[in-house]
Every structure is written in C-alpha cells, then in structure tokens.
Amino acid sequence: MYRFFVLSCMALTAALSACSTTRQAAPDTSIKTSSVIAPEGRALAYAGDDATPRLAGPHHLAGRTLEVSSLTDLKLQDKEVILSFDDGPIPGRTDKVLAILDQFGVKGAFMMVGEMAEMHPALARKVARDGNTIGSHTYDHANLSSLSFDAAMAEVIKGELAVTKATGTDVSFFRFPYLAESHRLRAAIAMREMVVMDVDIDSKDYFTTTRVSATQRTMNLLHKRGRGIILMHDIHKRTVAVLPSLLSRLEAGGYKVVTLKFKKREVPNTVVATADFVTIR
C-alpha cells in the first residue's frame, strides 16, 4: 500500500511538471537589467547542496496587504509584485519554499491542486498557518477547456472543497490550469466568491535552465511591466534554487511583495431591507 502511495505521488508530480502556460509572451531580451544579484554586503549562503538557500541580514522586501473582493480590486502599484505558486503542496519542495519566504519576511499565494492537498494535509495547513494566501487549482490539474461546462465546474468545486478541508480555511482564489479558461467559467467561479488569479510574469521555472538564467528571464519581464503577478511552481527543485536569488534581485531593485487577502463583499442595506420586507410579507 505504501509503495502504491509513493508511486501515485511520483506519477502525479510528473504530470504536474508538464504544467505550462501559453498566454505569456516570450521575454524581451533587449531589455537592460541590473547585474546586481544581491544587495551590497550580503551573499547567498548554502549549508549544503540540498539545503535551503538563505540570505543573511535584515530584509525590506515585504509590502502592503491588499484586500480584494474581485479581480477589479487587484490593482498593483509600480514596483509591486505578488508571488504565486501553483501545483503543490509536496513535501521536500513546498516546505523549502515556505522557509525561503520566511527568511525574506514575505508571503505568497499558493494555488493548490486538490488531490495534492488531500495527500499532504499537514503541509497544506502549514502553508495557511504561515499567513500565505490560499487558492485552488482544480482537483487534479485538468485542462478545463477540454471538458463540458458542467464537468469543468465539478472539477473546480471538487478541488475547492479538497483544499478547504486540507487547509482548514476558506479558499477565495482560483487559477485555471494551463490558463485554459472561458468567460462562462470565469463568471461561474466569481459567483462562488472566488477571485480568478491571472498571470503577468511567467518564471518558466519548469524549464530546464540554470538558476541565473531563470532569474534573469523573470527580471527582464518584470522590468518591462514594472509590476505584476509572478507565476512559479512549488513542486520543482528548480524553484527552490531560483527563489532566493529572485527575491534578492527584487529587493535590490526596490520591489515590494504584496500579500493578498480576500475581503467579502458587503451586502447593501437596501438589499437586506428588501429581503426582510419580502420575508415579513
């Protein structure tokens, strides 16, 4: 049974590794960026080849907390970013990502696959307990554009419920796998009081590339836009390797990491009064 469980985890991880986005344009290599890797007086330090990288010294990367009720509220200022992580949680990867975020004093938005959250509920709860934003990413990372509307919504709801149960907290954000969406699905998900998370900068951390190359590509795109939601995946070792240098570059460049928080819409008093009046009659 244990062997079957391990093999199942490996198979699911391999499938999730194929997660890619098609809407993000290729990096503009003509953009000039700073060659600074870390602020002066600091250096990346490793306690071993497989240890969590750490950057010594105090950090000033944490920005404001942004409360949103819908996508229209998700407006970033210049040099503000949101760090988002798809496809987890998975032991040995997600926990290291959490440790790096903690070292820099910032939070991320974790778009969890329901099946992964079910398999690793303790880790899913830790992500929530650490103050990160919790979102869902369907139950088994299905391409919703290949399903009927009813089947797609069933997948969305199943994933939402699984992540809610595993984390013990409400799931208020959602991201389409492969960014394969439709207006009808977006509207239906919004009706469930969930904010659909788009992607502005794709780190492409699922590519086979060096840490320096991945960091530079992401910074090139960010310098071009000036702000935005950065897509990463907490199921890859490469992400763990890239994240410290990326956060260091963000800090050196004067960027701030925004923490997302969902704010429920207030029901207008006129609506409540009307409902009461109808009930009384």
Side-chain angles (χ1 to χ4, degrees), residues 28-236:
D28 184 351
T29 55
S30 67
I31 299 171
K32 304 300 180 184
T33 58
S34 170
S35 60
V36 176
I37 299 299
E40 185 178 355
R42 301 184 190 175
L44 285 171
Y46 294 82
D49 290 340
D50 195 39
T52 301
R54 54 187 172 81
L55 188 67
H59 299 286
H60 308 282
L61 189 55
R64 63 186 173 126
T65 296
L66 178 60
E67 295 187 342
V68 300
S69 299
S70 66
L71 187 61
T72 57
D73 298 328
L74 214 166
K75 296 178 180 177
L76 297 177
Q77 300 171 2
D78 190 38
K79 292 222 165 183
E80 286 188 332
V81 299
I82 293 170
L83 306 172
S84 65
F85 301 90
D86 285 8
D87 296 355
I90 185 170
R93 312 285 170 81
T94 304
D95 45 343
K96 289 185 177 181
V97 168
L98 291 175
I100 295 167
L101 294 179
D102 184 60
Q103 288 161 9
F104 280 84
V106 296
K107 308 298 179 184
F110 287 78
M111 305 292 110
M112 298 184 183
V113 171
E115 190 172 10
M116 298 296 282
E118 275 186 350
M119 287 193 290
H120 311 294
L123 184 54
R125 285 194 298 273
K126 177 172 173 51
V127 175
R129 278 201 315 269
D130 283 1
N132 297 285
T133 304
I134 303 298
S136 63
H137 198 42
T138 71
Y139 182 75
D140 63 3
H141 205 272
N143 185 336
L144 300 186
S145 66
S146 66
L147 304 176
S148 68
F149 174 78
D150 290 341
M153 283 307 299
E155 172 74 13
V156 169
I157 294 169
K158 186 177 181 181
E160 176 192 350
L161 295 177
V163 175
T164 299
K165 183 177 180 181
T167 60
T169 187
D170 291 336
V171 176
S172 302
F173 295 86
F174 175 83
R175 177 173 283 148
F176 286 92
Y178 313 103
L179 300 184
E181 61 176 80
S182 71
H183 292 301
R184 187 181 180 191
L185 284 172
R186 286 183 75 105
I189 291 169
M191 289 294 291
R192 296 186 63 80
E193 292 195 315
M194 287 198 293
V195 177
V196 175
M197 287 275 286
D198 290 323
V199 174
D200 297 317
I201 297 125
D202 186 350
S203 71
K204 297 193 183 297
D205 53 355
Y206 44 86
F207 277 16
T208 301
T209 186
T210 66
R211 172 177 58 84
V212 174
S213 176
T215 301
Q216 188 65 45
R217 180 196 304 115
T218 304
M219 292 303 298
N220 284 349
L221 290 169
L222 182 56
H223 282 311
K224 184 177 181 179
R225 291 187 60 92
R227 73 198 77 178
I229 301 170
I230 300 175
L231 169 64
M232 291 172 280
H233 301 79
D234 56 318
I235 62 170
H236 299 308

